Amino acid sequence: MNEVCFKNLTKDQCYSLKTYEASGGYSVWRKILKGDLTPEHIIDELKASGLRGRGGAGFPTGLKWSFMPRHSDGQKYVVCNSDEGEPGTCKDRDILRFNPHAVIEGMAIGGFVMNASVGYNYIRGEFMEPFYRFEDALKEAYEAGLLGQNINNSSVNFDLHTHLGAGAYICGEETALLESIEGKKGQPRFKPPFPANVGLFGKPTTINNTESFASVPEILSRGGQWFADIGVENSGGCKLFSVSGHVKSPANFEVPMGTSFKDLLKMAGGMRDGAKLKAVIPGGSSTPVLTAEVAMSMTMDYDGIEKVGSMLGAGSVIIMDESTCMVEVLTRLAHFYYDESCGQCTPCREGTGWLYRVLERIIDGNGKQDDIGLLLGVQDKIMGNTICALGDAAAMPVKSFLRNFRPEFEYYIKHGKSMVKE
Amino acid sequence: MISIDAKKQIDVWIAKYPKDRQSSAVMQALKIVQAENENRLSADTIQAVADYLDMPGIAAQEVATFYENYNHKKVGKHVIRFCHNISCMLNGADDLIKHLENKLGVKTGKITADGLISVKKVECLGACVGAPMFQINDEYFENLTSDKIDQIVNNLK
């Protein structure tokens, strides 16, 4: 446990340059500056490591980096997505607070591999403590001569800046994030063109999640195969899981991919007050909810969770005990997507409002008999009909909650009150 | 309209972006100017930011109204932003919000009579393992209980 991003978690001043370097930090970057590593070698190692995007989409990082036109003329950018805000997700906040130098080194390595001399770390506007921590780390790295122009006479250039958000979940979508850095409303762009061709300020850009970048230095210093072997097939390495909800000791755990859900639950101290597990959202609010029985049989890796009908997402595990009213939970999630829809695509802008309002009237005791059909119809009209994935993210929970807990919704509509609450 | 000190702070942000891309600094510029103007933005302050960054007023207005962290109405000196999303909800946020409302004698969205505190329900703040939680100004407070809330609020001046 805690071998990569959380390697130094228990050490004194784990976020300092001194602690980071004492545990081998910046050794990969220094090798690059000496000319001892090539971009091709780094991409091969990343491919061998099986590292997949930790922000939720799970796209292989090595492959993503290889898509950048590194030999094309002109400015290119690397961007880190620290706009963490999907309900249940709170791992990047801890990486920024406790291991900011791993993010810096990971981004610098990415910059070298993709021939991008400038990077931006987009941190959500509310994360002021992580922002100051990251800024302090940047200052340390500049002062130590690890960043800047012609670093150590290596002819390698890398400048890194922080961009602060201002409260919009949608900016976690990579093209909305680019719009936001350009000082605009965070509304996703139509793809193609993909950011690797037309990205930030119209230049080739690669965007990775905080945890992905933070994993890179350790992977390269210990070898892609080492990382791959920690995990299971198709899910290399270890991953941070944020376990929250009705558990005794909610926390972030960095564990090998393929760890059983049962074991993860135990790490979080098990169910609180001896309550019985009812439901689990395994990867953040956008991923389909699972019943206790199904969850207890799954392993925490891409294929393991997909096999039981959900997704690993960002590894945001929300635990619900038997006292939980699933109608209330879905209503709260629907409110989130209604609030956070950027308003660009009609199916999402209107559909999320419909979902929320229908659920709200059920909660208020005014549900109508055909409301379940209406909810399923609306989510079906959103699904696949929007520019970005927020629409799907709003639709998917509706379908899974109704599939797994339909009697609760029927009861609420019929009796005007919750089946599980007094 | 924008103080010299605010301009200095904004210039730090402008320097991060390529030449002629100073409008990238608009989000922070609005935040800096907001902090200087009783924590809210007016049409005039938004226009002043736009002028300073040499961008159309409507473009700054779009940003100011799209993102959640900008205030267009009067808020308290301290804004308590209480997360009510799933992990916080499962850990009793709804009851704690009621407790806070009762203690302050105001509903969410309103300001206390002395203008000191306003309360807002917000979506996930990304601290789910510390639920229930809220944010006051720039600071996070986690693992809240009614006693802890009383203590925190009593210390606000």
Side-chain angles (χ1 to χ4, degrees):
Chain A
M1 197 162 98
N2 294 351
E3 280 191 271
V4 178
C5 298
F6 273 6
K7 196 169 81 163
N8 294 330
L9 197 62
T10 53
K11 290 181 189 151
D12 192 34
Q13 294 204 314
C14 56
Y15 45 82
S16 73
L17 177 63
K18 206 174 140 195
T19 309
Y20 186 64
E21 288 206 291
S23 66
Y26 288 113
S27 60
V28 177
W29 184 235
R30 286 186 195 281
K31 261 192 212 167
I32 288 172
L33 295 176
K34 272 194 223 148
D36 291 347
L37 284 174
T38 64
E40 292 75 17
H41 170 80
I42 292 171
I43 285 177
D44 285 347
E45 285 296 318
L46 284 181
K47 283 181 179 169
S49 77
L51 175 65
R52 294 169 61 171
R54 298 303 195 220
F59 194 82
T61 306
L63 195 59
K64 193 176 198 173
W65 286 16
S66 73
F67 289 159
M68 274 285 270
R70 72 177 312 273
H71 296 296
S72 70
D73 290 338
Q75 186 65 54
K76 289 168 277 295
Y77 295 102
V78 284
V79 172
C80 178
N81 185 346
S82 300
D83 190 43
E84 184 170 61
E86 166 133 335
T89 317
C90 54
K91 65 191 179 64
D92 297 335
R93 174 175 178 240
D94 279 1
I95 295 174
L96 293 169
R97 289 194 298 168
F98 305 132
N99 198 3
H101 282 288
V103 181
I104 296 173
E105 188 178 6
M107 288 186 74
I109 295 167
F112 167 73
V113 170
M114 294 177 273
N115 202 9
S117 60
V118 178
Y120 291 97
N121 185 10
Y122 188 109
I123 299 179
R124 71 174 289 179
E126 293 83 358
F127 276 180
M128 292 311 286
E129 185 197 357
F131 166 71
Y132 289 123
R133 201 46 84 62
F134 189 77
E135 286 280 291
D136 286 347
L138 265 185
K139 203 168 157 239
E140 279 186 313
Y142 268 101
E143 280 169 7
L146 291 161
L147 297 174
Q149 296 295 305
N150 189 21
I151 308 163
N152 276 338
N153 292 319
S154 60
S155 77
V156 175
N157 305 320
F158 191 70
D159 277 309
L160 182 49
H161 309 285
T162 314
H163 183 95
L164 262 180
Y169 167 69
I170 190 61
C171 290
E173 197 281 338
E174 61 178 14
T175 59
L177 185 149
L178 297 179
E179 289 285 300
S180 187
I181 299 182
E182 293 183 4
K184 300 172 194 160
K185 290 185 288 185
Q187 292 191 320
R189 296 173 182 173
F190 200 83
K191 292 191 267 193
F194 289 93
N197 296 311
V198 182
L200 183 60
F201 306 123
K203 307 291 184 192
T205 304
T206 288
I207 303 113
N208 285 113
N209 169 256
T210 317
E211 186 184 351
S212 306
F213 276 124
S215 303
V216 166
E218 193 68 12
I219 289 172
L220 295 176
S221 91
R222 303 183 71 165
Q225 197 57 47
W226 167 81
F227 190 75
D229 289 344
I230 294 176
V232 291
E233 205 187 340
N234 274 331
S235 303
C238 43
K239 158 105 194 70
L240 282 166
F241 290 96
S242 312
V243 186
S244 69
H246 293 138
V247 287
K248 261 191 206 126
S249 315
N252 285 312
F253 303 94
E254 189 172 44
V255 297
M257 287 282 202
T259 298
S260 73
F261 168 75
K262 268 186 198 165
D263 286 345
L264 187 63
L265 185 58
K266 259 187 230 153
M267 287 176 211
M271 298 302 293
R272 192 179 302 159
D273 304 328
K276 218 175 137 201
L277 179 69
K278 176 178 187 173
V280 177
I281 296 176
S285 62
S286 308
T287 63
V289 67
L290 300 169
T291 60
E293 198 191 356
V294 170
M296 288 305 263
S297 74
M298 73 179 166
T299 55
M300 305 306 287
D301 55 279
Y302 293 100
D303 294 351
I305 299 182
E306 209 177 302
K307 216 163 53 192
V308 296
S310 190
M311 291 183 296
L312 181 118
S316 325
V317 188
I318 305 163
I319 308 285
M320 292 167 263
D321 71 18
E322 279 202 314
S323 71
T324 312
C325 171
M326 302 311 278
V327 186
E328 280 180 19
V329 170
L330 184 61
T331 307
R332 200 57 60 96
L333 292 183
H335 183 271
F336 175 79
Y337 292 104
Y338 165 58
D339 197 67
E340 299 292 350
S341 173
C342 80
Q344 186 173 212
C345 309
T346 311
C348 175
R349 181 185 65 242
E350 301 302 324
T352 52
W354 271 92
L355 292 176
Y356 173 62
R357 286 190 299 271
V358 171
L359 283 161
E360 197 191 26
R361 84 174 170 215
I362 296 175
I363 291 274
D364 288 344
N366 301 319
K368 296 180 182 163
Q369 218 183 347
D370 53 1
D371 274 352
I372 290 181
L374 184 57
L375 287 169
L376 287 170
V378 172
Q379 71 84 26
D380 193 48
K381 289 185 183 73
I382 301 173
M383 198 78 190
N385 292 323
T386 55
I387 287 176
C388 86
L390 189 140
D392 293 356
M396 270 189 294
V398 175
K399 207 172 176 177
S400 65
F401 271 70
L402 284 168
R403 187 175 56 230
N404 288 316
F405 301 99
R406 190 172 177 128
E408 277 192 50
F409 289 81
E410 289 168 343
Y411 185 95
Y412 219 128
I413 291 168
K414 194 171 170 199
H415 301 277
K417 59 177 185 158
S418 172
M419 199 164 103
V420 295
K421 284 194 174 167
E422 285 305 312
Chain B
M1 182 65 70
I2 305 177
S3 73
I4 291 167
D5 183 52
K7 282 179 180 169
K8 265 190 204 157
Q9 290 180 58
I10 295 169
D11 290 346
V12 172
W13 286 92
I14 291 174
K16 295 171 183 242
Y17 308 102
K19 202 174 163 282
D20 300 328
R21 291 286 186 173
Q22 69 276 12
S23 58
S24 282
V26 65
M27 287 164 73
Q28 282 315 297
L30 289 169
K31 194 178 161 187
I32 290 161
V33 170
Q34 174 171 277
E36 279 200 338
N37 289 279
E38 294 179 327
N39 214 2
R40 61 191 280 215
L41 294 169
S42 66
D44 290 344
T45 48
I46 295 168
Q47 185 61 49
V49 166
D51 291 343
Y52 189 66
L53 296 173
D54 196 20
M55 65 194 284
I58 186 66
Q61 182 77 34
E62 277 190 345
V63 169
T65 51
F66 183 83
Y67 296 93
E68 199 265 342
N69 296 357
Y70 305 116
N71 307 312
H72 299 275
K73 289 182 184 151
K74 196 170 163 37
V75 292
K77 182 180 167 196
H78 304 290
V79 182
I80 301 182
R81 306 173 74 236
F82 214 128
C83 174
H84 77 142
N85 214 284
I86 178 161
S87 301
C88 287
M89 171 190 170
L90 294 173
N91 284 294
D94 291 359
D95 286 341
L96 290 178
I97 290 171
K98 274 186 208 132
H99 171 83
L100 181 63
E101 286 176 337
N102 288 336
K103 177 172 172 61
L104 296 174
V106 290
K107 288 278 173 201
T108 48
K110 302 286 182 207
I111 315 167
T112 52
D114 57 5
L116 190 66
I117 300 167
S118 54
V119 186
K120 195 174 177 183
K121 267 189 231 174
V122 297
E123 298 301 341
C124 187
L125 290 172
C128 314
V129 299
M133 61 81 62
F134 60 45
Q135 178 182 19
I136 304 181
N137 308 326
D138 284 348
E139 202 178 340
Y140 275 25
F141 296 86
E142 300 174 56
N143 304 306
L144 296 171
T145 60
S146 46
D147 286 348
K148 208 167 160 184
I149 290 174
D150 290 350
Q151 215 181 349
I152 294 163
V153 170
N154 290 340
N155 283 328
L156 292 177
K157 284 183 185 112

